[in-house]
Amino acid sequence: MRALGSLGSFLRRRLGQGADRGGSVLRAGGDRGTSAIEFVVLTPVMFFMIFGAVQFALYSFAEHVAKAAAQAGARTARAEAEADPSGWADSAEAKAYDYIRQLGPGLFESPPDVEASQPAEFTVRVEVSGRVPSIVPGMNLTVTAASEGPVERFVPDEG
């Protein structure tokens, strides 16, 4: 019984000492300066996580803008390829550039490359690729999106 009584008085003394200083409950004065060290160690990790999240958001948004521009260019190409065999590619590329200017001005480091092609006889394809600005030094991120579809053709009824 006596051992339990001395343990209780020991804990009361230690709890009282630690509670007064806001420090460790069972150690007296052995943790001075740990907050500053933790701050110095964890701050770069926190900044790296924030910069990584911002870089991911920039890349993701650029990917969505490139995809939307490629789809808009492909819609124009599909509609105009049959009616205007010589100028449909220019119209499709202009439409893709318009989308990029509207949705993400300044989103790419330089104007992205837009290429309209006809991989098969009745198929058109528009591809958009560009470099995304990097927050993290030395990172080279490129976004590429393509949209492809059949040419809209008028086929008269036979009969």
Side-chain angles (χ1 to χ4, degrees):
M1 277 304 200
R2 196 169 164 101
L4 289 177
S6 63
L7 178 63
S9 66
F10 170 77
L11 286 177
R12 277 192 296 278
R13 274 195 321 261
R14 291 297 182 186
L15 285 173
Q17 290 174 359
D20 290 344
R21 288 190 304 274
S24 174
V25 173
L26 295 177
R27 276 190 295 172
D31 61 349
R32 296 184 69 178
T34 57
S35 298
I37 293 172
E38 288 172 355
F39 181 74
V40 167
V41 170
L42 294 178
T43 299
V45 173
M46 183 182 67
F47 278 120
F48 180 74
M49 291 173 61
I50 290 170
F51 288 157
V54 170
Q55 185 68 62
F56 175 76
L58 276 173
Y59 181 82
S60 179
F61 185 56
E63 192 174 40
H64 287 294
V65 168
K67 189 181 295 186
Q71 289 173 347
R75 278 194 301 271
T76 301
R78 290 177 60 207
E80 295 183 9
E82 182 76 16
D84 186 13
S86 62
W88 67 268
D90 293 334
S91 297
E93 291 174 4
K95 187 64 158 180
Y97 279 122
D98 283 344
Y99 256 65
I100 292 168
R101 272 193 300 276
Q102 290 174 8
L103 295 176
L107 186 62
F108 297 98
E109 284 185 356
S110 60
D113 296 326
V114 178
E115 183 182 335
S117 61
Q118 194 166 9
E121 186 177 357
F122 297 111
T123 304
V124 291
R125 176 183 173 90
V126 176
E127 186 171 336
V128 177
S129 63
R131 287 191 46 177
V132 179
S134 177
I135 294 174
V136 181
M139 207 176 217
N140 185 10
L141 299 173
T142 303
V143 171
T144 303
S147 184
E148 186 174 317
V151 174
E152 296 177 5
R153 306 183 296 145
F154 175 73
V155 180
D157 288 337
E158 302 286 333

